[in-house]
Amino acid sequence: MKLARLALALTTALAVPAGVLLPAGTAAAQVPVVAQETFNDPADEAATHTVLCTNGRHATGGGASISNNEDNYISESFPAPNATGWTVTTAPINAIHDPRVTTVYVVCS
């Protein structure tokens, strides 16, 4: 019985990455999931997008990829307020007039 409790405690402890603080009442055994969404961004201007976590989960990381990355760049990438998701801003380089496709990713626990 003690061995079973120890295994459960270790499994629960390992389910959340080190250094991640979860809100009170959050189940530590939730398996992290990656959510993503793809956006068509206009040429000529910056665009900001947020992908949210679902089912009461919180963001533990995130990022983005963009098409046509020779002419565009990711200018910001950060957690949404209260770690509810991930926000990314992309923009054109030197006012080059090429549209881009942005995919935003968020890791939720």
Side-chain angles (χ1 to χ4, degrees):
M1 185 67 160
K2 286 183 181 179
L3 184 56
R5 281 191 213 146
L6 176 60
L8 177 61
L10 286 174
T11 302
T12 301
L14 295 173
V16 177
V20 173
L21 299 177
L22 297 175
T26 301
Q30 285 185 336
V31 175
V33 296
V34 176
Q36 70 182 57
E37 197 168 337
T38 299
F39 305 91
N40 291 310
D41 293 341
D44 247 5
E45 58 187 73
T48 299
H49 306 289
T50 299
V51 175
L52 298 174
C53 295
T54 58
N55 301 323
R57 294 175 181 259
H58 290 83
T60 58
S65 64
I66 55 174
S67 67
N68 196 11
N69 59 9
E70 308 85 36
D71 298 330
N72 299 284
Y73 68 103
I74 299 168
S75 61
E76 297 179 305
S77 180
F78 56 91
N82 299 316
T84 55
W86 202 262
T87 300
V88 170
T89 300
T90 63
I93 296 173
N94 299 323
I96 293 174
H97 308 288
D98 290 331
R100 62 201 170 277
V101 176
T102 301
T103 303
V104 179
Y105 304 90
V106 60
V107 179
C108 304
S109 288

